Amino acid sequence: MMKPALTLFLAAPRGFCAGVDRAVKIVEMSLEKWGAPVYVRHEIVHNKFVVDTLAAKGAVFVEELDECPVDRPVIFSAHGVPKAVPAEAERRNMIYVDATCPLVSKVHLEAERHAEEGLQIVMIGHKGHPEVIGTMGQLPEGEVLLIETAADVATLEVRDPEKLAWITQTTLSVDDTAEVVAALQARFPSLVGPGKDDICYATTNRQAAVKALAEKIEALLVIGAPNSSNSKRLVEVGRNAGCAVSHLVERASEIQWEALEGLTKVGLTAGASAPQVLVDEVIEAFRDRYDLTVELVETAKERIEFKTPRIFRHDN
């Protein structure tokens, strides 16, 4: 029986960003340096396949520092942690490695700089997300106010409307964030913003690639975890760009083939914490069912690399 023809439009950039790549390497290098087990506070990145792969090598994932023995190394996830966490690790004389993405660390430093200048900070982000908890935890309670949508701006209670700054979670929708910032600026004309957008280059690039894909396709698949903020934003960007069938899948086994029936043009991308092996798995699943053509849609080239911590670069 002849397979139906289908073109799979593959987004580039997609998948691992420099911060995720660095964080995964830090766990692997820790296992090489100290042997198993090494402990990781929170999922190193939001991807079950990555976490399970590292767990099989000897990484133990926990939610809080008090679950870690003092005589084994602990790694802090790419999302960042409140200041109290490394302080507690030092108090317990633990070896710890901070795998916080450097672009998240940049936002932490921005928040501290604004606070030193006497500004209260408004953070645009998702309540309960580890990155938001980590960023807000850089300063005393009440110094960082969290909002999620433009509608939240109207009810925001601030200490002094003349002394405000805004920062954002790095994995938000570029378009949605612009709307929230506009609402903030309309209500607080003296609002101070970051020198450069806090939304990271990888998030921005992956969203731009999805917008380019949306012009060519009838359906979009985003490979990523349900707790991955940047992956969920890619699904939303696809829908907002006119691609009504826009689905998040963790693995090829989750593809809803019936939703793709009769279609001939499907887009494929992957969130910043999804490895290429899962992209290859999905492509092969399509190849099994279709007479497949794969076409690359490239909107940017990423050459950024982040150095691993000094503890791995010298004889420590």
Side-chain angles (χ1 to χ4, degrees):
M1 188 176 170
M2 281 183 63
K3 296 177 183 177
L6 184 137
T7 301
L8 194 63
F9 291 89
L10 189 60
R14 66 181 178 279
F16 270 17
C17 62
V20 166
D21 191 52
R22 173 181 179 269
V24 172
K25 278 180 184 166
I26 285 172
V27 179
E28 292 172 339
M29 293 168 89
S30 296
L31 286 163
E32 285 173 24
K33 186 177 179 71
W34 291 294
V38 298
Y39 285 74
V40 186
R41 185 188 176 278
H42 192 66
E43 291 184 346
I44 188 70
V45 296
H46 282 157
N47 187 276
K48 186 178 185 299
F49 179 87
V50 173
V51 167
D52 288 350
T53 300
L54 292 171
K57 294 177 180 178
V60 178
F61 292 88
V62 298
E63 285 305 308
E64 296 300 339
L65 199 63
D66 59 16
E67 298 173 62
C68 306
V70 294
D71 60 346
R72 296 304 303 164
V74 60
I75 300 157
F76 304 145
S77 85
H79 307 102
V81 293
K83 267 193 171 169
V85 176
E88 175 63 12
E90 285 180 13
R91 190 190 69 76
R92 294 173 66 186
N93 291 318
M94 298 174 77
I95 295 172
Y96 69 87
V97 186
D98 190 354
T100 301
C101 172
L103 297 179
V104 174
S105 297
K106 177 180 80 74
V107 178
H108 291 182
L109 293 171
E110 271 174 19
E112 290 184 319
R113 190 181 72 248
H114 290 319
E116 285 165 8
E117 291 168 356
L119 303 177
Q120 192 177 27
I121 296 150
V122 179
M123 181 171 192
I124 306 165
H126 298 295
K127 186 178 181 182
H129 190 279
E131 183 186 329
V132 169
I133 293 167
T135 301
M136 294 182 73
Q138 300 305 302
L139 295 169
E141 197 168 337
E143 291 305 306
V144 185
L145 306 173
L146 181 65
I147 60 172
E148 298 195 61
T149 66
D152 294 338
V153 175
T155 56
L156 190 62
E157 294 181 13
V158 303
R159 192 166 53 225
D160 181 346
E162 299 299 312
K163 292 186 176 180
L164 278 182
W166 65 272
I167 59 174
T168 80
Q169 185 179 331
T170 61
T171 54
L172 300 180
S173 157
V174 174
D175 296 336
D176 290 350
T177 303
E179 187 184 328
V180 181
V181 172
L184 279 170
Q185 290 170 332
R187 187 175 168 201
F188 305 109
S190 302
L191 186 74
V192 175
K196 195 180 176 192
D197 199 344
D198 285 341
I199 296 174
C200 86
Y201 78 93
T203 299
T204 304
N205 287 350
R206 278 151 192 70
Q207 290 178 18
V210 164
K211 288 177 184 176
L213 276 187
E215 299 171 5
K216 303 172 182 289
I217 60 178
E218 301 159 291
L220 173 71
L221 296 183
V222 178
I223 303 170
N227 61 339
S228 165
S229 174
N230 79 86
S231 300
K232 290 195 289 188
R233 300 297 79 76
L234 291 174
V235 176
E236 291 170 6
V237 168
R239 286 194 187 126
N240 292 339
C243 194
V245 181
S246 194
H247 294 167
L248 181 70
V249 296
E250 284 197 86
R251 302 288 300 264
S253 57
E254 292 185 5
I255 297 171
Q256 298 172 35
W257 296 106
E258 64 280 3
L260 307 180
E261 215 166 294
L263 304 185
T264 60
K265 298 173 183 177
V266 175
L268 179 63
T269 190
S273 45
Q276 180 60 32
V277 64
L278 298 185
V279 177
D280 295 339
E281 177 186 277
V282 168
I283 292 171
E284 286 311 305
F286 270 90
R287 211 179 293 283
D288 287 345
R289 288 166 175 79
Y290 295 95
D291 177 11
L292 191 68
T293 302
V294 178
E295 192 172 311
L296 191 69
V297 178
E298 187 170 58
T299 53
K301 287 189 184 293
E302 293 178 350
R303 297 186 176 88
I304 292 175
E305 281 186 40
F306 294 134
K307 288 181 179 177
T308 50
R310 191 174 288 113
I311 197 166
F312 301 119
R313 301 203 299 270
H314 300 285
D315 186 20
N316 286 285

